Amino acid sequence: MTPDPATRTPVIIDCDPGHDDALAIALALASPEVEVLGITTIGGNAPLAATTRNAGRVLALLGRADVPVAAGPAQPLNRPLETAPQVHGVSGLDGADLPEPLAAPRPEGALEFLRQTLLAAPAPVTLVPTGPLTNIGLLLRTYPEVAAKIGRISLMGGAMRAGNWTPAAEFNIWVDPEAARIVFRSGLPITMCGLEVTHKALFGWPEIARLDALGTRIGTVFADLLRFFVKFHLERYGTADTPVHDAVAVAAVARPGMVGTRRYHVDVEVTGELTRGRTVVDDRGQSGTGLEANVDVALDIDRAAFADLLIGAIASYG
Ligand code: BDR
Ligand code: CA
């Protein structure tokens, strides 16, 4: 049953598309449970100009050029940008034939777009960051008053154990740990969809075959994107089963029952020689400092249900 529009969760997706960011956008726009107020972009998987173009390309593909896109700063708060061409290709969305954007990014930029959209929203908005947290850290640092209009932050980033960019750090947190620290210390409700859960949200050849079998242009584009993404994971990790990280942060909003969470205290290491970008999760209560749990850490998702949700979303575009 389609939810009453009045009960839909308003969201802003803050992303660096990115193969899995593209799937996150497609899932959000197809989910009747959420209303996408806009997309903000940041450099991460590719430089800012590329990720902003890619957001517009995905929207053009999905027939949703009406969704506003606003670009953030070209660099993280305190450091040069590091990108991931080995994972996502030089364009950030290598492997598929996408159209060019049909609309220009908003002239005011991400910071002002976020501020104005949040202040104008009649109900608290859920932010869904799926890239480095520069935009959200900057927003909370510059305009702390908008925190009252943020209902939750459902982010893809971090890990309780091993990282995927360094032994200690997951990529999104590694790129801008200072921004991530601002977010994790904000006191806002946070759902952290880190590597523990995203490595259970896997697509491999069978799921790609289901996308091909849709026989639609959009199904084929996403199958092509996933073929590229899977090839990297196969070469790097020896398995075709590939985490569709960013779509989990959307699933946690659209279908909260699908994602199992536990509350822990989480903070971010910003200076460690070996551990920069690590999300330090006190899952054994060892800090001994009386720090209160501040984050709902996502730990579980049913692979089959997640695949059905994502493939169903892509099928819904026809
Ligand atoms: C995260 O890093 C990026 O490569 C993906 O888009 C995802 O957001 C996974 O570590
Ligand atoms: Ca991403």
Side-chain angles (χ1 to χ4, degrees), residues 4-305:
D4 178 344
T7 65
R8 295 166 82 191
T9 304
V11 305
I12 299 174
I13 301 172
D14 179 59
C15 58
D16 62 337
H19 294 68
D20 50 336
D21 302 81
L23 284 150
I25 292 169
L27 176 59
L29 288 170
S31 298
E33 300 85 357
V34 307
E35 179 193 7
V36 180
L37 303 180
I39 294 179
T40 51
T41 57
I42 194 64
N45 290 324
L48 177 71
T51 59
T52 305
R53 169 177 172 245
N54 289 343
R57 294 166 80 203
V58 171
L59 291 173
L61 172 75
L62 299 176
R64 291 301 310 271
D66 58 299
V67 176
V69 174
Q75 303 288 333
L77 294 185
N78 292 11
R79 330 172 160 262
L81 177 65
E82 194 167 322
T83 59
Q86 60 274 56
V87 186
H88 297 272
V90 172
S91 75
L93 275 184
D94 276 17
D97 184 18
L98 283 101
E100 286 305 310
L102 294 171
R106 295 283 284 254
E108 68 270 35
L111 180 63
E112 290 308 316
F113 176 81
L114 284 162
R115 184 180 78 88
Q116 289 165 20
T117 307
L118 288 168
L119 292 180
V125 174
T126 295
L127 302 182
V128 185
T130 63
L133 286 158
T134 313
N135 280 328
I136 311 306
L138 194 59
L139 176 75
L140 294 172
R141 192 173 75 181
T142 313
Y143 299 121
E145 66 275 14
V146 302
K149 300 302 294 282
I150 299 171
R152 176 166 289 272
I153 299 176
S154 178
L155 63 89
M156 191 284 133
M160 285 173 67
R161 307 277 178 252
N164 65 355
W165 198 251
T166 71
E170 180 279 329
F171 177 75
N172 288 340
I173 309 297
W174 164 265
V175 171
D176 198 338
E178 287 80 11
R181 180 178 269 195
I182 293 172
V183 171
F184 278 89
R185 290 186 174 185
S186 66
L188 288 164
I190 294 173
T191 304
M192 169 177 137
C193 300
L195 299 181
E196 280 69 28
V197 70
T198 67
H199 278 259
K200 295 176 182 171
L202 301 169
F203 265 52
W205 303 127
E207 290 80 11
I208 292 175
R210 287 175 64 189
L211 289 173
D212 279 324
L214 295 176
T216 63
R217 179 184 180 211
I218 292 174
T220 302
V221 168
F222 281 107
D224 288 345
L225 286 173
L226 280 158
R227 261 185 283 276
F228 183 93
F229 207 37
V230 163
K231 208 164 146 270
F232 163 79
H233 283 82
L234 191 53
E235 283 163 13
R236 175 76 177 75
Y237 298 109
T239 171
D241 285 339
T242 297
V244 188
H245 306 280
D246 294 339
V248 178
V250 174
V253 180
R255 300 288 176 90
M258 189 179 275
V259 178
T261 62
R262 292 194 70 170
R263 284 187 65 72
Y264 296 120
H265 186 269
V266 184
D267 205 340
V268 178
E269 175 57 58
V270 296
T271 57
E273 189 186 349
L274 301 175
T275 54
R276 166 193 152 192
R278 180 163 189 80
T279 42
V280 180
V281 181
D282 185 21
D283 60 323
R284 294 174 184 155
Q286 283 171 331
S287 65
T289 55
L291 290 172
E292 276 194 23
N294 59 339
V295 173
D296 296 296
V297 179
L299 296 173
D300 290 306
I301 193 165
D302 181 85
R303 174 179 178 165

